[in-house]
Amino acid sequence: MAAPGWLTPRRRSATARSVLAGEAAAEAARKTSAQLERERAEAEAAAEAAPAEPEFPVVGDTEAAAFFDLDNTVMQGAAIFHFGRGLYKRKFFQRRELARFAWAQVWFRLAGVEDPEHMQEARDSALSIVKGHRVSELMSIGEEIYDEYMADRIWPGTRALAQAHLDAGQKVWLVTAAPVETATIIARRLGLTGALGTVAESVDGVYTGKLVGELLHGPAKAEAVRALAAAEGLDLARCAAYSDSHNDIPMLSLVGHPYAVNPDTKLRRYARDREWRLRDYRTGRKAAKVGIPAAAGVGALAGGTAAALALHRRRR
């Protein structure tokens, strides 16, 4: 017995309109597919025809070099303060000077920027401390201090950038307000070409307690790079410079490839406005905002705190 008609699905024959809609959709699909295929082919052809982004650093370009700031760019913290800690350990000066060094180091870590007043104070302290000592003596001690306080504070990311330039056959120089002797030790330990640093006057190999010129800071760094480039036959437009501090904008502006590394707030803003390349090897939001090397933040504060505790214990 046949089922009632209302239980059986009724087949509806295709109308002329539905046939037309189906055919139109199929034709549109074929055309769209062909168009997409043409676009992919054109994109691939354009990519092959477009010149590849030039390799940087350029291998074999001997008229190019790289200039790296030291403090908080290559190394966490300030070299002069680490050096001061090492000299105190060797009884080069008394507790009062150590307190100044410790406070300046903690301030540098918390602020993440270089302060001219602190830099001046550190310079004056360092000059008074080394006066009358032989250059060779301080160089020997500097090697020990590097192993004790500096070797573990090198930023691996920045170290890799420097190595890329070396692998390309280019010279790599440190440029820092730290004493040139200290900077030279660090450059040698890292396998770099050399260092530009503050030059302390010496007579017959003995420090006089005076500087030759002024602290290598701010515009003085740019002048040092300019003078070295002229002496070395370098094309500054093909050179690179790396720094964390807005104080080094004159040096960064001098080269064709400026990089802001672990930048302070002012340099980050300046670099973004000019589309300079940024590299930040710190971790954590706070580090990104104020420039504290987060990976070493605990160690930094511990260093300053340890110095303060040592002073307190000795007073007691």
Side-chain angles (χ1 to χ4, degrees), residues 293-304:
V298 174
L301 292 176

Side-chain angles (χ1 to χ4, degrees), residues 14-212:
T15 64
R17 290 176 66 83
S18 62
V19 171
L20 180 62
E23 291 177 349
E27 181 63 20
R30 292 181 65 251
K31 289 182 178 180
T32 302
S33 176
Q35 177 64 25
L36 291 175
E37 187 62 31
R38 284 196 298 271
E39 290 177 357
R40 281 194 292 268
E42 291 172 359
E44 291 174 0
E48 293 176 358
E53 184 177 347
E55 179 187 7
F56 185 82
V58 180
V59 176
D61 186 359
T62 56
E63 290 187 37
F67 301 93
F68 284 80
D69 168 56
L70 176 58
D71 297 344
N72 213 35
T73 301
V74 171
M75 183 178 68
Q76 302 167 24
I80 187 66
F81 302 133
H82 296 313
F83 189 62
R85 290 174 64 194
L87 291 181
Y88 173 77
K89 180 180 177 181
R90 291 159 177 82
K91 303 186 185 305
F92 267 68
F93 54 91
Q94 302 302 314
R95 294 194 301 267
R96 182 176 55 189
E97 286 80 10
L98 175 63
R100 279 212 303 263
F101 273 107
W103 162 242
Q105 171 69 349
V106 171
W107 189 95
F108 179 85
R109 292 289 190 156
L110 292 176
V113 294
E114 298 169 355
D115 179 79
E117 184 176 344
H118 282 91
M119 297 291 291
Q120 178 74 21
E121 185 175 355
R123 185 204 75 170
D124 294 341
S125 296
L127 286 174
S128 64
I129 290 166
V130 303
K131 182 178 179 180
H133 289 275
R134 298 197 67 81
V135 175
S136 58
E137 177 190 11
L138 270 295
M139 287 290 288
S140 177
I141 292 174
E143 297 280 358
E144 299 172 2
I145 293 174
Y146 176 83
D147 291 328
E148 293 171 1
Y149 298 112
M150 302 180 188
D152 293 337
R153 291 178 167 84
I154 302 299
W155 290 107
T158 314
R159 179 71 186 87
L161 291 175
Q163 189 61 48
H165 286 279
L166 294 171
D167 292 344
Q170 297 175 4
K171 294 182 177 181
V172 178
W173 304 83
L174 290 181
V175 189
T176 174
V180 68
E181 293 84 2
T182 301
T184 299
I185 290 169
I186 298 170
R188 182 169 61 250
R189 291 299 191 92
L190 296 179
L192 309 183
T193 307
L196 295 162
T198 299
V199 179
E201 182 185 78
S202 62
V203 176
D204 296 330
V206 177
Y207 289 113
T208 65
K210 300 177 182 179
L211 290 183
V212 178

Side-chain angles (χ1 to χ4, degrees), residues 178-266:
V180 68
E181 293 84 2
T182 301
T184 299
I185 290 169
I186 298 170
R188 182 169 61 250
R189 291 299 191 92
L190 296 179
L192 309 183
T193 307
L196 295 162
T198 299
V199 179
E201 182 185 78
S202 62
V203 176
D204 296 330
V206 177
Y207 289 113
T208 65
K210 300 177 182 179
L211 290 183
V212 178
E214 62 178 9
L215 201 69
L216 197 69
H217 188 255
K221 283 189 178 182
E223 293 305 318
V225 168
R226 195 193 309 275
L228 183 64
E232 293 277 322
L234 302 174
D235 181 355
L236 286 172
R238 289 147 72 174
C239 290
Y242 301 79
S243 179
D244 72 295
S245 174
H246 68 278
N247 294 312
D248 288 338
I249 287 175
M251 178 180 75
L252 294 170
S253 302
L254 198 61
V255 301
H257 301 278
Y259 284 77
V261 178
N262 304 331
D264 62 34
T265 302
K266 290 183 180 179

